[in-house]
């Protein structure tokens, strides 16, 4: 038999791998000493040893991978702030959360890291790790990075939300532009059917019915719906807040004042809002897949012209790459933003904004090794000398600053432009650690462009409109920690609401009282009390 | 009770027979020494890579704190087990889990066996190769992809099935969001995806049956059905028994990946299973001790069932595991 | 197998063929759907979604091109081959002897070993206890962290054991009388007769390692070590997070097409391997083994 040869090769391979693994073992706890050794000869004299910093952060463009080992920024960071940076990309969502949590469980966190949360609650993730004693206080770091503190850590509320027991534990990066989602309607459909922009729930219903039944796209088939959306969180999610808001009950909590604080379902207008939503469902004017649809499916559907009213992020709607497929299908179509409908009691709320941004933290281990100062140096550099390099690349090669002070790629080799796919590995840190929503950045990120039939698309006008609408300040939600029986409580809370919305349960006084009683049996009252206390302690409720 | 010290007592006799037996035993063991040597690496592997983590899994009985490590975290006994067993939806979670895993077993397995027998029986060689290769491919479709396919087939808006229903004047059925239909969607889509894959094993088993048996059957001019009933099925019975036994051990695994992708709020009451609950409660909230405790809970149930099933298998078909 | 062409037998054959055709048809629906999705051009997709049949002139390999020409693709593919190849070999080397040992009914201590491994089948320690062990062993950024924890599946071991049990005892006894030791019996007698099951179990292991993405994410920090499933996942996540990636479209295909193309690419090696395995499903079985 000749197969034994292969077996032999395999055995050798395995044993060498095993040996290599064993050999690595003692070196594992301390970070890569051999890297430091190769650096040492370059700087022979009085300069202190470079500090090794391992950074875990999510990617801006996950498909692009990390920057190469010979990235110029690594050299400059070493030269200018004497830090030996090891940048490792954290996966997004639950994968990243599992990775971070596993590292935490093994007390093996990197020096400096981004908090990852699949449920978009980075503060909750930070809180958990702080409770476990794995995260270092960073109060003293702010003074070491004055410029960055002024640009990034200037929001007292954000800072207070990363503060536990009087100490700052997290560095809150500026959130993505707040209040960036809004209500949109197909103006071309309205015009074709001779309808006006709806301003109340009833008018919304009428328009939705017309969009469903009067063939607004004129293809002779009854293949459109008035409304599209999907469920993206607890309760009714955030995508139908404009409907709930018409009854004054947008979001999970009533943040108005300490006296009225509590779950919105306590409000007697809540079942009314659900009854209205149910009438949309019963009239079959909402895409019937809404309870099970995922976001990507939803986005594919509006691009196929399936519905005429929706809630969407301004960039996901109107940036060139996102809008173009829709533009090609329907060059004459136009989505216009509309105000929040006003309900029977005069309520109108667009949505609830939570102001959640990314939070970075230093591990206690790194602090014990005296690395905080070096991390502060690095962060300050990212906000000053390194800002353009990490955000856009090298001036004159990857971007230029034109006469108006705008970032531009005019006259550059298109494959080297900062916007090119090839260049994305070099600006992976930009959304996490570099950008702070300056005017120059926003102009560069959301430029105007021209559609196929010559209309000018201005993403920022959508944004401006959205932001001018009546939003509920829901930033307090960040301090509310989930109850101990979160899986049960949130399931009961959400399941009940959706059952009423779908008509699986009829909205009646009796059923609603029963629902609330069940919620209480799961500890709703205690949860409200602890949430209220947390908000008052944080100074967010008066 | 008195103790007999008489030289010719039973005790001494037993001692003698024990000595003889043990020397016999040692003798047998010595003769089988090569087998011990053969399995030694795997046994070591199991001690390190399976029992090592199980030793760490004592965090199920502790309040695990990373800074203190596994062995110094405070001992809390059955607290995490209690938290699970007394949780609000416990009965429903167990019920849903059992329904899914039992239904997948008793509906999926016969179909896979049937496919394997049909493939084994057919005379069309190329057709067989083609079918065999094709039906095992859906195994590679992730549930995320399958969700997309199911949406196209089942959507009440423009899904294929509902198109047919509408054409015959029926009301469209929201299969994916209706509690009355969701369980069937889960069970049938699992069978759809995995039947071809499980066929492989039964086919391999059928090929292990001695051809002489089939030749003898042909000589006796047995009908095809007789051939299947008296040769094929008994031939693969040991494998069927084994797989049923092993599935009993994992009776509380109902397919996390599938449910997690397919379920949605309106069908939580019929779709939520133990593992999705643990995901929402344990993993997302840094409750690793709880997750491990639930894993143990499932193990205990599996252990009881596998012991019972083993007894039955031994008595009925002499096909036990131990 | 002898084929007696009686009327019964032929009717039976027709029944079997019809049954298999129905199964094939049902199973082809999702598969066909995925294939169409992978080849649908972006503008057709955004216009009308995914049609059930593509016009012969209206298809594109753009999604495949986009995935395969990705700069990290060759490296990821290589990593996947290494993990799958090495993993399958290690798995089989550990599984076969154990399965063989357990198949020897009169082995003293057999029940002990059986319970030893069954216990680990029933009680899974979960993510963190395994993670603690692997990181303490210093296996971070090492393929062995992906390969070793799942290297022996109790299920596969017992299935293989059952096949060994099915082989006639006379074979072993005859070989033992000829003076062969257990190594030689396993190697020269049992294995050649067990090709179907060894290939099947090998396939099970290979498919597991080929598809695995979670443990690479957990244990590999170095991007150069990432296998294919992780890369595909990253590409797909990126395509669906486009509201924060404002620059030019990186994707000239629909997200759905990318997903489908990714699945087909990962299927391809498995599609190639299985017919090859099937050759051994008809040859190398017991035929003649007992008579010699």
């Amino acid at each position: 038999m000749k197969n034994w040869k292969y077996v032999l090769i395999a055995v050798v391979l395995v044993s060498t791998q095993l040996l290599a693994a064993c050999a690595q073992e003692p070196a594992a706890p301390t970070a890569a000493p051999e890297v430091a050794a190769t650096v040492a000869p370059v700087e022979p004299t009085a300069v202190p040893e470079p500090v090794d910093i391992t950074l875990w952060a999510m990617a801006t463009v996950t498909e692009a991978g990390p920057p190469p080992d010979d990235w110029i920024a690594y050299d400059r960071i070493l030269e200018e702030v004497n830090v030996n940076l090891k940048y490792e990309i954290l996966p997004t969502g639950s994968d990243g959360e599992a990775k971070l949590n596993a590292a935490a469980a093994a007390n093996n966190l990197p020096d400096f890291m981004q908090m990852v949360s699949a449920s978009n609650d980075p503060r909750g993730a930070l809180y958990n790790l702080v409770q476990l004693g794995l995260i270092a206080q960073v109060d003293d770091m702010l003074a070491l990075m004055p410029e960055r503190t002024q640009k990034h850590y200037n929001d007292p509320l954000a800072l207070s939300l990363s503060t536990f027991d009087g100490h700052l534990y997290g560095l809150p990066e500026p959130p993505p532009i707040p209040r960036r989602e809004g209500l949109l309607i197909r103006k071309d459909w309205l015009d074709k059917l001779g309808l006006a922009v709806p301003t109340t729930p009833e008018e919304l219903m009428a328009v939705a019915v017309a969009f469903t039944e009067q063939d607004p796209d004129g293809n002779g088939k009854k293949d459109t719906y008035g409304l599209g959306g999907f469920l993206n969180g607890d309760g009714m999610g955030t995508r139908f807040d404009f409907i709930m808001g018409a009854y004054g009950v947008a979001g999970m909590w009533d943040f108005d004042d300490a006296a009225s604080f509590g779950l919105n379902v306590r409000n007697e207008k809540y079942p009314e809002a659900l009854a209205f939503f149910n009438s949309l469902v019963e009239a079959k004017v909402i895409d019937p897949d809404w309870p099970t649809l995922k976001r990507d499916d939803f986005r594919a559907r509006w691009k196929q012209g399936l519905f005429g009213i929706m809630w969407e992020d301004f960039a996901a709607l109107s940036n060139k790459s996102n809008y173009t497929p829709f533009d090609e299908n329907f060059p004459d179509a136009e989505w216009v933003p509309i105000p929040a409908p006003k309900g029977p009691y005069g309520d109108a709320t667009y949505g609830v904004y939570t102001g959640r941004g990314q939070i970075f933290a230093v591990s206690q281990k790194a602090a014990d090794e005296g690395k905080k100062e070096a991390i502060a140096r690095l962060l300050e550099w990212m906000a000053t000398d390194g800002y353009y390099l990490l955000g856009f690349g090298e001036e004159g090669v990857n971007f230029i600053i034109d006469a108006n002070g705008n970032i531009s790629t005019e006259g550059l080799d298109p494959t080297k432009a900062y916007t090119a796919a090839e260049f994305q590995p070099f600006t992976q840190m930009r959304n996490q650690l570099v950008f702070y929503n300056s005017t120059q950045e926003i102009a560069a990120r959301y430029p105007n462009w021209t559609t196929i039939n010559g209309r000018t698309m201005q993403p920022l006008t959508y944004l401006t409109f959205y932001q001018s609408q009546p939003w509920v300040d829901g930033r307090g939600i960040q301090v509310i920690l989930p109850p101990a029986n979160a899986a049960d409580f949130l399931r009961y809370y959400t399941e009940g609401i959706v059952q009423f919305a779908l008509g699986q349960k009829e909205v009646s006084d009796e059923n609603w009282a029963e629902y609330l009683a069940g919620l209480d049996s799961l500890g709703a009252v205690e949860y409200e009390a602890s949430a209220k206390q947390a908000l008052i302690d944080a100074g967010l409720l008066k | 009770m008195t103790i007999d010290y008489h030289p010719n007592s039973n005790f001494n006799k037993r001692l003698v027979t024990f000595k003889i037996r043990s020397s016999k035993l040692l003798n047998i063991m010595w003769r089988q020494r090569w087998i011990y040597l053969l399995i030694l690496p795997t046994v070591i592997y199991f001690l390190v890579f399976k029992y090592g983590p199980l030793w760490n899994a004592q965090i199920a009985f502790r309040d695990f704190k990373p800074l203190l490590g596994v062995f110094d975290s405070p001992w809390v006994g059955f607290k995490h087990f209690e938290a699970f067993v007394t949780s609000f939806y416990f009965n429903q979670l167990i019920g849903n889990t059992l329904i899914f895993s039992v239904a997948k077993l008793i509906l999926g397995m016969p179909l896979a066996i049937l496919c394997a027998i049909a493939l084994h029986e057919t005379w069309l060689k190329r057709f067989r190769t083609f079918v065999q290769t094709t039906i095992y491919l859906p195994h590679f479709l992730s549930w995320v992809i399958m969700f997309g396919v199911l949406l196209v087939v089942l959507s009440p808006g423009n899904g294929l099935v509902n198109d047919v229903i509408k054409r015959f004047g029926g009301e469209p059925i929201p299969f994916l969001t209706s509690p009355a239909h969701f369980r069937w969607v889960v069970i049938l889509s699992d069978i759809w995806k995995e039947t071809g894959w499980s066929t492989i094993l039964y086919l391999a088993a059928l090929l292990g049956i001695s051809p002489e048996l089939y030749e003898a059957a042909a000589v006796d001019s047995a009908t095809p059905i007789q051939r299947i009933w008296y040769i094929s099925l008994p031939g693969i019975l040991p494998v069927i028994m084994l797989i049923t036994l092993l599935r009993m051990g994992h009776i509380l695994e109902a397919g996390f990946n599938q449910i997690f992708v397919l379920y949605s709020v309106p069908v939580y009451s019929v779709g939520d299973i133990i593992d999705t609950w643990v995901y929402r409660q344990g993993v997302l909230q840094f409750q690793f001790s709880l997750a491990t405790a639930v894993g143990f809970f499932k193990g205990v149930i599996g252990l009881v069932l596998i012991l019972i099933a083993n007894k039955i298998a031994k008595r009925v078909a002499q096909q036990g595991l131990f | 197998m002898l084929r007696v062409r009686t009327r019964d037998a032929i009717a039976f054959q027709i029944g079997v063929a019809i049954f298999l055709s129905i199964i094939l048809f049902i199973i082809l629906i999702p598969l066909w759907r995925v294939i169409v999705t992978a080849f649908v051009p972006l503008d057709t997709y955004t216009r009308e979604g995914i049609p059930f049949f593509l016009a012969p002139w209206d298809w594109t390999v753009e999604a495949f091109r986009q995935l395969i020409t990705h700069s990290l693709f060759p490296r990821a593919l290589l990593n996947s081959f290494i993990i799958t190849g090495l993993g399958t070999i290690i798995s089989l080397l550990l599984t076969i002897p154990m399965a063989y040992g357990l198949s020897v009914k009169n082995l003293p201590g057999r029940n002990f070993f059986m319970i030893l491994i069954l216990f680990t089948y029933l009680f899974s320690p979960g993510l963190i206890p395994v993670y603690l062990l692997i990181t303490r062993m210093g296996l971070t950024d090492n393929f062995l962290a992906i390969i070793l924890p799942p290297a022996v599946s109790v299920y596969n071991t017992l299935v293989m054991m059952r096949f060994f049990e099915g082989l006639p005892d006379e074979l072993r006894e005859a070989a033992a009388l000829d003076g062969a030791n257990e190594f030689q019996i396993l190697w020269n007698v049992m294995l050649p007769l067990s090709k179907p099951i060894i290939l099947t179990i090998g396939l099970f292991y290979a498919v597991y390692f080929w598809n695995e993405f979670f443990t690479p994410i957990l244990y590999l920090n170095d991007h150069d070590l990432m296998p294919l499933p992780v890369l595909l996942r990253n590409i797909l996540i990126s395509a669906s997070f486009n509201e924060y990636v404002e620059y030019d479209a990186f994707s000239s295909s629909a997200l759905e097409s990318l997903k489908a193309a990714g699945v087909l690419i990962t299927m391809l090696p498995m599609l190639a391997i299985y017919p090859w395995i099937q050759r051994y499903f008809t040859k190398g079985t017991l035929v003649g083994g007992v008579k010699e």
Side-chain angles (χ1 to χ4, degrees):
Chain A
M1 284 226 151
K2 56 177 181 177
N3 297 15
W4 67 271
K5 280 185 196 161
Y6 297 107
V7 176
L8 193 69
I9 292 169
V11 170
V12 171
L13 269 173
V14 172
S15 41
T16 49
Q17 286 270 324
L18 269 174
L19 282 176
C22 296
Q24 277 177 14
E25 192 177 342
T30 55
E34 65 273 16
V35 180
T38 56
V39 169
V42 185
E43 295 173 76
T45 44
V47 185
E49 285 285 293
V51 184
D52 292 318
I53 303 287
T54 305
L55 160 65
W56 279 9
M58 291 200 280
T60 296
V61 183
T62 56
E63 77 160 270
D69 291 339
D70 59 356
W71 185 27
I72 181 173
Y74 286 140
D75 299 338
R76 280 191 53 193
I77 289 169
L78 185 60
E79 274 168 35
E80 295 173 27
V81 289
N82 202 29
V83 162
N84 213 338
L85 180 65
K86 194 161 151 209
Y87 169 42
E88 290 168 342
I89 287 182
L90 267 180
T92 315
S94 58
D95 295 345
E97 181 170 352
K99 181 165 175 138
L100 194 67
N101 281 350
N107 192 13
N108 215 2
L109 288 171
D111 300 315
F112 187 52
M113 78 218 94
Q114 180 171 11
M115 293 296 113
V116 189
S117 161
S119 49
N120 186 25
D121 182 15
R123 183 188 180 270
L126 177 71
Y127 176 80
N128 281 333
L129 297 185
V130 169
Q131 291 302 302
L132 296 169
L134 298 169
I135 300 296
Q137 299 171 5
V138 291
D139 313 74
D140 47 348
M141 281 173 72
L142 295 183
L144 299 174
M145 36 186 191
E147 187 117 0
R148 188 178 183 93
T149 303
Q150 186 220 321
K151 282 178 183 161
H152 290 241
Y153 313 130
N154 53 9
D155 178 1
L157 178 67
L159 285 171
S160 79
L161 291 176
S162 294
T163 303
F164 305 101
D165 297 330
H167 291 285
L168 185 67
Y169 282 91
L171 297 171
E173 290 298 318
I177 306 169
R179 291 162 292 167
R180 51 185 290 146
E181 295 182 355
L183 186 59
L184 297 150
I185 198 162
R186 282 283 292 272
K187 186 167 178 303
D188 50 320
W189 286 12
L190 278 181
D191 293 347
K192 178 162 186 295
L193 302 179
L195 297 166
V197 169
T199 59
T200 65
E202 285 69 35
E203 290 175 24
L204 189 79
M205 174 71 143
V207 171
V209 170
F211 279 181
T212 308
E213 290 175 356
Q214 298 177 18
D215 190 20
D217 57 358
N219 67 354
K221 283 186 250 168
K222 192 181 160 222
D223 58 355
T224 51
Y225 291 103
L227 208 64
F230 62 97
L231 216 46
N232 71 336
D234 302 323
M236 291 295 292
T238 64
R239 295 235 156 198
F240 300 107
D241 274 348
F242 65 96
I243 291 177
M244 307 308 283
Y247 296 83
V249 290
M252 189 169 184
W253 299 97
D254 178 352
F255 287 111
D256 283 351
D257 54 57
S260 70
F261 175 82
L263 290 165
N264 262 332
V265 288
R266 303 271 187 217
N267 191 324
E268 69 271 20
K269 287 187 265 178
Y270 205 96
E272 246 181 279
L274 287 178
F276 173 73
F277 194 94
N278 180 240
S279 68
L280 289 171
V281 172
E282 296 292 332
K284 297 190 176 17
V285 296
I286 176 167
D287 176 4
D289 288 325
W290 71 272
T292 188
L293 222 53
K294 317 271 192 271
R295 190 184 57 185
D296 298 336
D297 304 308
F298 163 77
R299 289 198 168 146
R301 287 183 177 200
W302 68 252
K303 286 174 190 164
Q304 288 158 17
L306 197 69
F307 33 74
I309 305 172
M310 69 170 178
W311 181 263
E312 184 59 297
D313 178 277
F314 83 99
L317 173 82
S318 61
N319 258 358
K320 189 175 174 192
S321 56
N322 294 322
Y323 190 84
T324 301
F326 179 74
D327 194 25
E328 284 169 358
N329 285 339
F330 308 102
D332 300 323
E334 191 181 353
W335 285 103
V336 293
I338 60 172
K342 190 169 279 188
Y345 309 101
D347 298 300
T349 309
Y350 222 40
V352 183
Y353 72 97
T354 59
R356 278 187 172 132
Q358 301 302 338
I359 301 178
F360 278 79
V362 177
S363 70
Q364 187 60 48
K365 244 175 35 185
D368 294 342
E369 290 166 20
K371 290 180 173 179
K372 277 200 312 197
E373 196 212 342
I375 294 171
R377 276 203 312 267
L378 175 67
L379 288 174
E380 179 74 350
W381 180 85
M382 287 179 173
T384 52
D385 299 347
Y387 172 75
Y388 283 108
L389 181 63
L390 298 186
F392 302 96
E394 288 170 80
E395 189 169 358
V397 183
N398 311 111
F399 75 100
I400 53 167
I401 296 178
D402 69 14
N404 305 325
N406 286 330
I407 307 272
S408 157
T409 56
E410 249 182 73
L412 296 175
D413 175 358
T415 61
K416 290 204 172 130
Y418 76 94
T419 50
E422 294 85 347
F423 193 67
Q424 298 313 306
F426 298 90
T427 51
Q428 285 289 32
M429 293 181 196
R430 65 177 191 255
N431 278 11
Q432 276 69 37
L433 280 164
V434 182
F435 286 166
Y436 61 102
N437 298 333
S438 71
T439 331
Q440 191 187 37
E441 268 167 29
I442 289 177
R445 297 170 76 180
Y446 309 107
N448 295 349
W449 57 284
T450 311
T451 64
I452 291 172
N453 58 13
R455 210 153 42 84
T456 304
M457 277 294 271
Q458 296 174 302
L460 291 178
T461 46
Y462 287 98
L463 179 66
T464 321
F465 183 89
Y466 293 167
Q467 290 186 329
S468 70
Q469 290 299 308
W471 287 79
V472 170
D473 179 355
R475 290 179 295 173
I477 200 162
Q478 295 188 56
V479 302
I480 301 176
L481 295 165
N485 59 343
D488 293 333
F489 182 86
L490 292 176
R491 179 185 145 181
Y492 183 89
Y493 169 79
T494 301
E495 194 179 13
I497 289 175
V498 172
Q499 281 170 342
F500 284 114
L502 277 175
Q504 289 176 353
K505 268 193 207 157
E506 195 198 339
V507 185
S508 66
D509 290 348
E510 200 181 324
N511 285 345
W512 189 251
E514 195 191 335
Y515 169 70
L516 290 181
L519 210 52
D520 287 341
S521 78
L522 273 160
V525 177
E526 295 79 0
Y527 184 32
E528 284 170 305
S530 76
K532 184 172 174 179
Q533 196 55 49
L535 284 162
I536 290 172
D537 290 347
L540 292 169
L541 197 66
K542 273 142 211 143
Chain B
M1 191 177 152
T2 56
I3 298 167
D4 196 349
Y5 289 104
H6 195 273
N8 293 327
S9 71
N10 266 340
F11 175 78
N12 274 11
K13 264 190 207 158
R14 264 193 252 142
L15 196 69
V16 171
T17 47
F18 174 74
K19 274 188 179 158
I20 294 171
R21 259 207 238 135
S22 59
S23 71
K24 244 187 179 168
L25 184 73
L26 283 177
N27 217 336
I28 298 173
M29 285 174 74
W30 176 247
R31 259 190 284 148
Q32 308 276 33
R33 64 190 180 280
W34 289 103
I35 297 188
Y36 292 117
L37 197 60
L38 264 175
I39 66 173
L40 183 67
T42 317
V43 171
I44 293 173
Y45 165 85
F46 266 89
L47 292 179
V48 175
F49 285 98
K50 305 281 181 183
Y51 281 90
L54 273 176
W55 183 240
N56 287 338
Q58 54 179 278
I59 61 173
F61 305 95
R62 296 172 181 271
D63 236 340
F64 178 55
K65 298 266 186 293
L67 278 184
L68 299 174
V70 172
F71 310 107
D72 294 321
S73 291
W75 200 259
V76 295
F78 286 88
K79 179 182 140 192
H80 302 295
F81 292 87
E82 253 181 71
F84 171 55
V85 173
T86 59
S87 72
F88 192 75
Y89 291 108
F90 177 76
N91 290 339
Q92 198 187 67
L93 295 174
I94 298 278
N96 287 340
T97 308
L98 283 175
I99 286 173
F100 286 133
S101 78
V102 171
K104 284 174 181 178
L105 179 66
I106 60 177
L107 295 178
M109 202 167 178
L111 190 64
I113 294 169
L114 217 56
C115 283
I117 289 177
L119 284 168
H120 186 239
E121 286 290 331
T122 184
W123 290 349
L124 312 164
K125 224 180 139 198
R126 296 212 158 178
F127 182 61
R128 175 172 73 194
T129 314
F130 178 69
V131 175
Q132 216 174 313
T133 313
T134 312
I135 64 172
Y136 110 125
L137 289 178
H139 175 73
F140 295 94
L141 305 178
S142 64
W143 278 109
V144 176
I145 296 272
M146 283 299 283
F147 176 77
V149 175
L150 288 172
L151 203 57
V152 170
V153 176
L154 299 176
S155 159
N158 50 6
L160 292 178
V161 174
N162 276 309
D163 276 353
V164 174
I165 292 178
K166 277 187 255 180
R167 201 147 298 173
F168 286 99
E171 273 290 294
I173 299 167
F175 291 100
L176 283 166
T177 55
S178 123
H181 301 91
F182 181 72
R183 280 183 182 151
W184 284 108
V185 173
V186 170
I187 294 162
L188 294 178
S189 64
D190 183 74
I191 292 174
W192 197 14
K193 184 167 170 311
E194 299 298 338
T195 297
W197 179 250
S198 10
T199 300
I200 299 179
L201 199 56
Y202 300 113
L203 204 56
L206 284 167
L207 291 165
I209 298 173
S210 165
E212 286 168 2
L213 290 173
Y214 287 109
E215 279 158 27
V219 170
D220 291 346
S221 55
T223 66
I225 302 294
Q226 284 172 325
R227 194 171 60 223
I228 291 170
W229 192 252
Y230 291 107
I231 301 176
S232 300
L233 278 179
I236 59 173
L237 190 65
V239 174
I240 296 175
M241 295 290 262
L242 173 77
I243 289 173
T244 314
L245 261 175
L246 291 176
R247 290 281 289 265
M248 285 290 152
H250 279 180
I251 197 82
L252 292 183
E253 313 277 345
F256 171 77
N257 288 327
Q258 181 195 16
I259 306 281
F260 188 65
V261 173
L262 295 190
Y263 82 159
S264 55
V265 182
V267 291
Y268 268 10
S269 57
V270 294
D272 204 9
I273 55 171
I274 296 175
D275 288 347
T276 45
W277 182 85
V278 169
Y279 176 81
R280 295 201 310 271
Q281 178 73 17
V283 183
L284 291 181
Q285 320 234 7
F286 214 88
Q287 298 192 11
F288 296 122
S289 291
L290 178 76
T292 309
V294 175
F296 273 10
F297 175 87
K298 292 195 289 189
V300 172
I301 304 289
L303 179 67
V304 171
L305 281 173
I306 214 170
L307 286 176
I308 295 172
N310 189 53
K311 266 257 153 71
I312 296 173
K314 250 165 128 173
R315 190 154 305 165
V316 176
Q318 286 77 47
Q319 291 288 349
L321 269 177
F322 46 87
Chain C
M1 198 188 298
L2 283 180
R3 286 175 185 175
V4 188
R5 292 174 189 274
T6 62
R7 189 182 292 181
D8 268 6
I10 288 168
F12 177 73
Q13 280 300 318
I14 293 171
V16 166
I18 290 172
F19 172 74
L20 284 177
S21 305
I22 293 171
I23 296 283
L24 183 69
F25 176 75
I26 294 173
I27 280 176
L28 270 179
I29 295 175
L31 219 51
W32 173 249
R33 183 80 201 160
V34 172
I35 293 170
V36 172
T37 309
F39 288 99
V40 70
L42 183 59
D43 51 339
T44 311
Y45 174 76
T46 46
R47 198 170 53 244
E48 54 192 272
I50 302 154
F52 233 79
F53 295 98
L54 277 180
W57 59 87
D58 191 26
W59 57 277
T60 171
V61 293
E62 181 55 33
F64 293 90
R65 195 200 59 80
Q66 200 181 335
L67 294 179
I68 291 174
T69 57
H70 193 284
S71 60
L72 302 175
F73 186 84
R75 186 68 203 237
L77 189 66
L78 179 69
N79 290 336
S80 268
F81 277 127
I82 295 175
I83 291 174
T84 307
L86 200 64
T88 311
I89 291 169
I90 294 178
S91 291
L92 285 177
L93 285 180
L94 287 171
T95 304
I96 295 173
M98 192 68 184
Y100 178 62
L102 288 174
S103 75
V104 179
K105 281 272 172 177
N106 59 359
L107 180 74
R110 176 185 174 275
N111 273 359
F112 168 78
F113 292 119
M114 180 62 93
I115 287 163
L116 183 87
I117 70 168
L118 259 185
F119 191 79
T120 67
Y121 173 77
L122 294 170
F123 295 91
S124 72
L127 172 74
I128 294 302
V130 181
Y131 184 89
L132 291 173
L133 177 80
I134 295 300
T135 48
R136 291 287 181 275
M137 291 177 89
L139 290 179
T140 319
D141 275 333
N142 188 320
F143 285 155
L144 287 181
I146 321 294
I147 292 171
L148 286 179
V152 180
S153 135
V154 175
Y155 183 92
N156 289 350
T157 309
L158 294 182
V159 167
M160 195 182 270
M161 169 199 84
R162 190 113 292 181
F163 275 78
F164 287 138
E165 284 174 356
L167 296 175
D169 281 342
E170 307 96 70
L171 288 173
R172 244 187 101 214
E173 282 156 17
L177 281 179
D178 289 348
N181 66 33
E182 292 289 347
F183 279 118
Q184 291 162 328
I185 294 176
L186 176 60
W187 192 252
N188 294 330
V189 181
M190 304 311 253
L191 287 193
L193 292 176
S194 313
K195 272 183 193 158
I197 191 59
I198 288 171
L199 288 170
T200 304
I201 299 294
L203 179 74
F204 286 180
Y205 280 128
V207 165
Y208 169 81
F209 286 119
W210 181 253
N211 285 335
E212 179 61 9
F213 72 87
F214 186 67
T215 49
I217 283 176
L218 210 54
Y219 296 118
L220 305 179
N221 297 326
D222 185 347
H223 239 73
D224 286 342
L225 298 176
M226 287 297 175
L228 195 56
V230 178
L231 175 70
L232 291 175
R233 208 173 155 80
N234 286 342
I235 294 177
L236 298 179
I237 287 173
S238 152
S240 71
F241 265 83
N242 47 9
E243 75 245 44
Y244 296 118
V245 181
E246 303 84 3
Y247 305 148
D248 299 345
F250 297 121
S251 178
S252 40
S253 307
L255 178 59
E256 294 291 316
S257 306
L258 284 176
K259 275 187 204 165
V263 166
L264 292 180
I265 289 175
T266 46
M267 261 186 197
L268 223 57
M270 295 300 138
L271 195 62
I273 244 183
Y274 192 48
W276 176 78
I277 289 178
Q278 283 178 45
R279 293 214 326 249
Y280 293 90
F281 268 40
T282 44
K283 292 192 285 183
T285 37
L286 263 178
V287 191
V290 189
K291 289 178 197 159
E292 275 171 15

